[in-house]
Amino acid sequence: MTKKTVDYKKLYNLTGDVTPLQGDCGNLCRSICCQPDKENTLGMYLFPGEEVMFTGKEDWLRWERRHPVEDEFPPSWSYPVYFVRCTKPCPREKRPLSCRLFPLAPHLLGDDTLLLIYETLPLPYSCPLITEKIPLRKDFIKAVAQCWQELLKDQRIYDLVKMDSKEREQEDHRPYIVWEGTIKKIKAVDAD
Ligand code: SF4
Ligand code: SF4
């Protein structure tokens, strides 16, 4: 069975040069989101298929294969889900997609309206962009929105975002909305 997936090269190009602020937001916080914690537990999941953007031999990345059930991913996700940790500053052009989309997160309303909000997940550090609601560059917001519109065509990612959105609503989180739009028709994507 052919496994269709997101065109990550296109999304890496879209997000290659855009930054949340005009200058380096790392100057506000000494790049706290790029610093390993004491136990070096911080890291990020790759999106399904994003691993093709890496050789697996990067000396700044440590890889782990995780079980989707154990990590509470929706049933459409299959093993392995890749979790990566950076052990030193990355070459910026190689950074994973999660780093490119932060600090925005997607939220899907019941009618599939797509919102971009500031990340609501508990973080082990404080991001001033989120805590101070610093206005982000329009081109950054636009690029992130385009990425999510593409990512959400993958049923697995759609399921995850839908699940997270429902949980957020059940917990009565009132997210700060940065952008509102629509998603294009969801195409079924063959899972493994
Ligand atoms: S924590 Fe926030 S402000 Fe600091 S570098 Fe990361 S995204 Fe930028
Ligand atoms: S991969 Fe790069 S951008 Fe992402 S957290 Fe690590 S050092 Fe920061």
Side-chain angles (χ1 to χ4, degrees):
M1 197 185 289
T2 319
K3 185 175 168 186
K4 286 178 247 159
T5 189
V6 172
D7 182 351
Y8 287 102
K9 210 168 173 189
K10 178 173 152 189
L11 302 195
Y12 274 45
N13 285 339
L14 256 176
T15 51
D17 294 329
V18 288
T19 48
L21 301 181
Q22 194 66 38
D24 180 1
C25 62
N27 293 333
L28 301 174
C29 64
R30 291 203 220 150
S31 302
I32 188 77
C33 61
C34 294
Q35 307 292 336
D37 60 353
K38 276 188 196 140
E39 288 82 34
N40 200 12
T41 54
L42 293 182
M44 66 222 81
Y45 291 101
L46 297 186
F47 291 95
E50 191 188 353
E51 63 277 9
V52 300
M53 300 304 291
F54 302 89
T55 62
K57 293 184 179 147
E58 291 79 8
D59 65 355
W60 51 277
L61 268 187
R62 266 199 1 234
W63 291 73
E64 229 182 278
R65 291 165 171 244
R66 304 267 270 247
H67 288 271
V69 176
E70 286 169 15
D71 287 11
E72 300 181 347
F73 280 84
S76 51
W77 287 61
S78 53
Y79 178 85
V81 181
Y82 291 104
F83 184 81
V84 294
R85 293 188 181 92
C86 47
T87 53
K88 55 181 170 179
C90 65
R92 192 167 182 279
E93 70 283 3
K94 304 276 186 197
R95 69 202 189 284
L97 197 52
S98 296
C99 304
R100 298 162 185 256
L101 306 177
F102 188 80
L104 295 176
H107 184 94
L108 280 174
L109 298 179
D111 65 356
D112 278 351
T113 297
L114 171 64
L115 307 178
L116 290 184
I117 60 173
Y118 282 108
E119 183 58 85
T120 58
L121 280 176
L123 300 169
Y125 52 82
S126 176
C127 168
L129 300 181
I130 299 176
T131 55
E132 294 170 34
K133 306 281 178 293
I134 298 175
L136 307 178
R137 278 173 60 153
K138 285 202 173 69
D139 59 352
F140 173 76
I141 298 170
K142 189 174 164 203
V144 174
Q146 279 178 292
C147 284
W148 278 111
Q149 285 172 320
E150 284 299 310
L151 290 166
L152 287 163
K153 292 177 185 172
D154 184 316
Q155 188 67 42
R156 295 163 290 188
I157 300 173
Y158 175 85
D159 291 346
L160 179 65
V161 173
K162 201 74 179 173
M163 185 181 85
D164 288 345
S165 303
K166 277 191 193 146
E167 277 172 16
R168 201 176 279 122
E169 285 172 18
Q170 278 159 5
E171 287 162 11
D172 209 18
H173 262 299
R174 299 294 159 107
Y176 183 91
I177 299 168
V178 175
W179 180 91
E180 177 172 342
T182 52
I183 51 173
K184 291 160 200 159
K185 192 167 168 287
I186 304 296
K187 283 189 273 179
V189 171
D190 300 330
D192 286 327

